[in-house]
Amino acid sequence: MEVREACSSHPDEAKFTKDRPARIYADGIYDLFHFGHARSLEQAKKLYPNTYLLVGCCNDEITHKYKGKTVMMESERYESLRHCKWVDEVIPDAPWVITKEFLDKHNIDFVAHDSLPYADASGTAKDVYEFVKAMGKFKETKRTEGVSTSDLIMRMLKDYNEYVMRNLDRGYSRKDLNVSYVKEKRLRVNMGLKKLREKAKEQQEKVGEKLYFTHKGVIQPRGNAPRKYGQQPQYDTQRYGYQGNPDSQVANAIIYAFQNLNSDVKINMPDFDEKSVAGGFIDWLNRVDEMLAFKKCTGQSVTR
């Protein structure tokens, strides 16, 4: 893996031998430790044939003050680093801005980090690595594009409801997830509707085995001889609940399948003859949504 240096060869490099490894320091927050973090530490580890890599990690107090809240606690972030194969030593409670005293205390030869300037929120300097760069002890590593802690958090926020629903389904309480009572009920109804739709899709496929379409879109019972377009077929209305024109019968067949899946929710068959099939079916689905929400929240069955 290529590593570019932000400074020219340093006189201290001559003293690095087999018995005297280069002591390289890298620091960060390392929240939600990911492969981008690991790759940067790999680059630091491979700066010299014999490298001892020290990794500093800021504690919760200083991180929350200057950067913001983290997902992982400091102890979890420290432990994640200890399990990275490139790391020789983890330094907890690392300083926000590196000082000469810190470098001397840990016998650090060089500091490795990407070259982007990091504004010093503490007000000590314009760049947290300004002092190290001025000393000629800064080694540049490359960032891994496409992955960062912020990106991972954004992915979770984008699908927030999906993750909450999944964890509710796994047994977490709304208090565990910091979700209100109303939010929990709404999400549980959504979970039920999702499962209902999946079952309805399966049922629809079973109903579809009894029906097929001609090239003109007219429904025909399987097994009957093909008809010309416009010829009215004979349907088993008692079995399938068909009504109205042939296109409407498609929607009614699906509705019949939905109602068989939840006998406690009774909704009268809508008449699709006065509107488009799509519009009528959407209206029906909205009524299903309302009825299931009522049933889930009150425990009472309802008929419309």
Side-chain angles (χ1 to χ4, degrees):
M1 185 176 291
E2 179 185 358
V3 180
R4 293 183 291 121
E5 298 183 8
C7 58
S8 58
S9 181
H10 195 278
D12 289 345
E13 294 181 2
K15 65 184 180 184
F16 302 151
T17 64
K18 183 177 180 180
D19 297 326
R20 201 304 197 178
R23 292 176 65 84
I24 306 298
Y25 176 76
D27 64 355
I29 308 303
Y30 302 108
D31 194 19
L32 296 178
F33 190 84
H34 51 74
F35 70 88
H37 292 139
R39 284 183 176 179
S40 68
L41 297 177
E42 178 186 4
Q43 293 176 66
K45 178 68 174 179
K46 293 180 177 180
L47 278 170
Y48 296 96
N50 189 16
T51 296
Y52 185 84
L53 181 60
L54 304 95
V55 180
C57 188
C58 300
N59 60 33
D60 287 345
E61 181 181 1
I62 193 172
T63 301
H64 296 170
K65 181 178 180 180
Y66 295 130
K67 187 169 184 177
K69 185 174 177 58
T70 56
V71 177
M72 300 170 70
M73 297 182 295
E74 59 186 43
S75 58
E76 296 170 322
R77 295 186 284 116
Y78 299 157
E79 192 63 19
S80 296
L81 285 167
R82 293 188 181 102
H83 288 272
C84 178
K85 71 176 184 178
W86 309 112
V87 178
D88 295 300
E89 180 181 342
V90 174
I91 301 178
D93 303 315
W96 193 256
V97 179
I98 300 171
T99 63
K100 185 177 185 303
E101 291 73 23
F102 181 80
L103 295 177
D104 292 341
K105 176 182 178 180
H106 296 281
N107 298 314
I108 296 169
D109 297 306
F110 293 99
V111 175
H113 205 277
D114 64 77
S115 62
L116 292 177
Y118 281 76
D120 179 11
S122 69
T124 304
K126 294 181 179 179
D127 180 0
V128 294
Y129 300 104
E130 182 178 329
F131 168 73
V132 178
K133 291 176 180 178
M135 292 182 64
K137 290 195 171 187
F138 184 82
K139 296 289 185 179
E140 180 185 339
T141 58
K142 287 184 177 181
R143 292 176 63 87
T144 299
E145 296 299 328
V147 61
S148 69
T149 298
S150 297
D151 289 339
L152 295 177
I153 293 175
M154 285 303 299
R155 293 182 202 176
M156 289 185 281
L157 292 176
K158 181 180 178 181
D159 298 315
Y160 167 76
N161 285 343
E162 185 71 23
Y163 289 118
V164 172
M165 288 169 62
R166 183 180 71 177
N167 284 342
L168 284 173
D169 201 28
R170 290 180 175 179
Y172 286 88
S173 70
R174 65 179 182 83
K175 292 183 179 180
D176 293 332
L177 301 172
N178 195 28
V179 172
S180 69
Y181 174 82
V182 174
K183 179 77 171 180
E184 179 197 8
K185 294 304 178 185
R186 185 183 300 118
L187 290 176
R188 288 194 182 279
V189 168
N190 288 338
M191 288 169 59
L193 285 173
K194 182 178 179 182
K195 292 178 180 179
L196 177 64
R197 291 189 183 100
E198 291 172 352
K199 291 181 179 178
K201 184 177 180 181
E202 296 176 3
Q203 187 71 9
Q204 180 184 351
E205 292 173 353
K206 293 179 181 178
V207 173
E209 292 177 0
K210 303 178 184 295
L211 305 169
Y212 70 92
F213 291 93
T214 66
H215 68 286
K216 291 293 187 177
V218 178
I219 306 171
Q220 294 185 177
R222 182 177 295 278
N224 286 11
R227 275 186 317 278
K228 293 182 179 180
Y229 175 68
Q231 181 179 353
Q232 292 297 318
Q234 298 297 318
Y235 295 102
D236 183 352
T237 57
Q238 295 299 319
R239 183 174 183 183
Y240 295 111
Y242 291 155
Q243 61 178 334
N245 61 52
D247 288 339
S248 298
Q249 291 158 357
V250 177
N252 283 323
I254 298 172
I255 289 172
Y256 179 82
F258 266 91
Q259 291 192 328
N260 277 344
L261 293 171
N262 198 321
S263 59
D264 290 337
V265 179
K266 299 297 184 184
I267 301 177
N268 295 329
M269 287 290 187
D271 183 359
F272 293 111
D273 291 340
E274 302 301 323
K275 60 177 71 176
S276 70
V277 173
F281 192 55
I282 289 174
D283 288 346
W284 183 84
L285 283 176
N286 288 334
R287 277 184 280 171
V288 169
D289 199 345
E290 292 175 5
M291 295 303 97
L292 287 176
F294 181 85
K295 179 188 173 185
K296 289 288 184 180
C297 292
T298 66
Q300 301 176 19
S301 300
V302 64
T303 299
R304 284 188 61 178

